[in-house]
Amino acid sequence: MSTVDEIKEAIQINKKRLAQELQESKELVFLIKKSITTNLTDEEKAKVKEQTIDICKAIPAFTVFMLPGGALLLPLLIKLIPDILPSAFRVDGEDIIEKK
């Protein structure tokens, strides 16, 4: 496989991961709105907690990426601190491709 093909595949995988993370964030907004009028179940509270943590993880990863040389530094940080990425980005790329 050529480098161009590998880049295209990586873009497609990450596009699907971003879409998954956005979908989960929409669910978070729905649950927060729901919590205003009713009490959430324990399962819903767990989802809110998980998604809030994912959003908090995405901000530092994005910040590192935006730094000069961040595109080189972020993969190194991911190797050292694998939990720095939101949950949608920790799934193997093959799993994302299969979910098409």
Side-chain angles (χ1 to χ4, degrees):
M1 190 184 296
S2 72
T3 304
V4 173
D5 292 335
E6 290 172 359
I7 292 171
K8 286 180 182 178
E9 183 179 343
I11 288 171
Q12 288 298 320
I13 289 170
N14 287 319
K15 185 173 99 174
K16 291 180 186 346
R17 288 176 174 165
L18 182 59
Q20 179 182 351
E21 194 63 40
L22 289 173
Q23 182 63 35
E24 291 172 359
S25 296
K26 286 180 185 177
E27 183 180 10
L28 172 65
V29 171
F30 170 77
L31 290 173
I32 290 173
K33 287 179 182 179
K34 180 181 174 184
S35 71
I36 294 171
T37 57
T38 62
N39 289 331
L40 297 178
T41 65
D42 290 338
E43 182 181 326
E44 290 171 333
K45 289 178 185 178
K47 285 182 182 180
V48 169
K49 182 179 179 182
E50 179 183 340
Q51 283 305 306
T52 304
I53 290 171
D54 273 355
I55 290 172
C56 291
K57 287 180 180 179
I59 293 169
F62 181 71
T63 304
V64 168
F65 182 75
M66 294 305 294
L67 291 172
L72 301 174
L73 183 59
L74 188 59
L76 178 63
L77 283 176
I78 292 170
K79 290 283 186 186
L80 297 174
I81 312 168
D83 288 342
I84 195 172
L85 291 177
S87 60
F89 288 87
R90 283 185 260 139
V91 178
D92 289 337
E94 293 79 25
D95 294 341
I96 298 291
I97 293 172
E98 292 173 8
K99 291 182 181 180
K100 282 184 180 177

